[in-house]
Amino acid sequence: MTTLERLAEWKAVGTITPSQHDTLTALVRKQRVSVHLELSVLWYLGVLSFVGGLGWTMRAYVADLGDAAILSLLTLMVAACFCYCFATVAPYANREVESPNLSLDYVLYLGCLVLSAEISYLEYRFHLFDHWHHHLLIVSVIFGALAYRFDNRFVLSLALSSLAGWLGLRISGFDVVAADPLRATALIYGGFVAGLGAWLHRQGIKPHFLDVYLHLSANVVLAALASGIGEPGMGLAYLAALLSLCAAAILLGVRYRKFAFVTYGILYAYGAISYKVLVFIDDAFAIFWYGIITGTLVLVALVALARRFGRDE
């Protein structure tokens, strides 16, 4: 039996999905295969590496280069990036707008990161933004506006992450370091992000951005609840709330064909239950086998669900 015949048999019995069959068949026949995702990841990693190197250079050679030279260079880079983006982008529309070329998204991402580095440098050298609090809020607003203007999910993620950082620093700025206030802030933030995304979706303003809001909100809320299951007194309440939301994530993920939320629900629930179970197990051998057996079962369940989602879609 040839490789192509075996692939056809696997497809017929459901071992692989039609899309996987097409990809593997193209590889076997040495046809061209799309590597757009892989190249996109490398491009974004390249941008991050460049900005990281830029930040290191500023810190290492600030005395030699001087503030004026560094700020002038950063301003020129930001201006060049945004001038190119505004000159290239299609007119704004509430619906999803396809990027006119491959470079626009990466240049925009580079401009946003360099802008963030410049504002960080201003705060580091001149303390203009009240010790980072206002810096992160300003960055969040700017990134949010740019994300909607250029229809870019990565920049929207930067905006929401910056907002989360601002809220965290505002809490610490009031000398509140206890876990419960920080946890409550995370829960409020997660609810706010989900509510904002749902409202914008209903208004028809970039409705395809809803997934970005929901993914971030789900992880923030679930992580906040998971961090409280070990608290004395309130641990069981946090556990109950976490398991309830995990069940909701799994059910809604299955209903709306969103496998990522099914994964979130399963993994967070598994981690919480395992934490509670392992508290009562002192034997290292039993802990080892518990991890092996339950981890394998969870992995098999996720693989089976992933294949089911692939066949249905």
Side-chain angles (χ1 to χ4, degrees):
M1 179 179 291
T2 65
T3 303
L4 292 175
E5 291 172 342
R6 193 175 298 277
L7 289 174
E9 180 182 344
W10 289 347
K11 176 184 175 182
V13 299
T15 303
I16 58 176
T17 65
S19 61
Q20 291 172 334
H21 173 267
D22 294 340
T23 301
L24 293 173
T25 300
L27 289 172
V28 172
R29 291 176 175 172
K30 298 182 179 180
Q31 298 171 342
R32 285 183 291 182
V33 178
S34 173
V35 291
H36 179 267
L37 177 61
E38 291 79 2
L39 290 177
S40 296
V41 172
L42 289 176
W43 270 104
Y44 280 114
L45 289 176
V47 170
L48 286 173
S49 300
F50 174 79
V51 175
L54 190 65
W56 177 84
T57 302
M58 289 189 302
R59 284 182 173 272
Y61 296 99
V62 60
D64 298 329
L65 297 176
D67 295 328
I70 292 176
L71 290 174
S72 298
L73 175 61
L74 294 177
T75 301
L76 286 174
M77 292 180 63
V78 172
C81 290
F82 288 154
C83 285
Y84 171 81
C85 292
F86 278 102
T88 308
V89 71
Y92 175 81
N94 282 331
R95 59 176 174 79
E96 185 172 5
V97 178
E98 185 177 355
S99 180
N101 56 56
L102 293 176
S103 62
L104 176 63
D105 291 339
Y106 308 114
V107 174
L108 174 64
Y109 195 58
L110 174 63
C112 289
L113 292 180
V114 175
L115 175 61
S116 180
E118 182 173 12
I119 296 177
S120 300
Y121 183 84
L122 287 171
E123 168 59 24
Y124 170 71
R125 295 290 292 170
F126 306 109
H127 305 292
L128 300 179
F129 302 107
D130 188 23
H131 301 289
W132 298 91
H133 295 166
H134 298 316
H135 154 242
L136 288 174
L137 181 60
I138 292 171
V139 165
S140 176
V141 172
I142 294 174
F143 286 175
L146 291 173
Y148 275 83
R149 177 61 187 90
F150 294 101
D151 204 336
N152 191 288
R153 291 177 174 86
F154 275 99
V155 177
L156 179 60
S157 299
L158 287 177
L160 296 175
S161 301
S162 299
L163 178 60
W166 176 76
L167 286 173
L169 286 177
R170 289 301 294 173
I171 291 295
S172 63
F174 288 109
D175 295 328
V176 177
V177 296
D180 283 336
L182 291 173
R183 195 174 294 120
T185 301
L187 294 175
I188 294 172
Y189 169 78
F192 168 76
V193 168
L196 177 62
W199 181 78
L200 291 171
H201 182 270
R202 288 191 174 186
Q203 300 301 313
I205 303 174
K206 298 293 184 185
H208 55 286
F209 277 175
L210 179 60
D211 281 352
V212 178
Y213 289 96
L214 294 182
H215 281 289
L216 180 61
S217 174
N219 279 286
V220 168
V221 171
L222 292 175
L225 292 175
S227 69
I229 62 176
E231 294 288 334
M234 291 295 293
L236 291 179
Y238 281 117
L239 178 63
L242 175 63
L243 294 181
S244 298
L245 287 182
C246 286
I250 294 171
L251 294 175
L252 293 175
V254 171
R255 178 179 178 181
Y256 292 104
R257 316 305 309 157
K258 301 293 184 182
F259 178 67
F261 293 93
V262 178
T263 304
Y264 298 154
I266 292 176
L267 292 182
Y268 277 101
Y270 169 69
I273 294 173
S274 296
Y275 176 84
K276 287 296 186 181
V277 170
L278 292 177
V279 169
F280 301 99
I281 302 178
D282 296 328
D283 188 353
F285 185 75
I287 294 175
F288 172 78
W289 280 108
Y290 172 87
I292 293 294
I293 295 173
T294 58
T296 301
L297 291 175
V298 169
L299 180 61
V300 169
L302 289 174
V303 171
L305 285 171
R307 288 175 54 189
R308 177 62 181 273
F309 271 70
R311 285 199 297 269
D312 291 345
E313 294 176 354

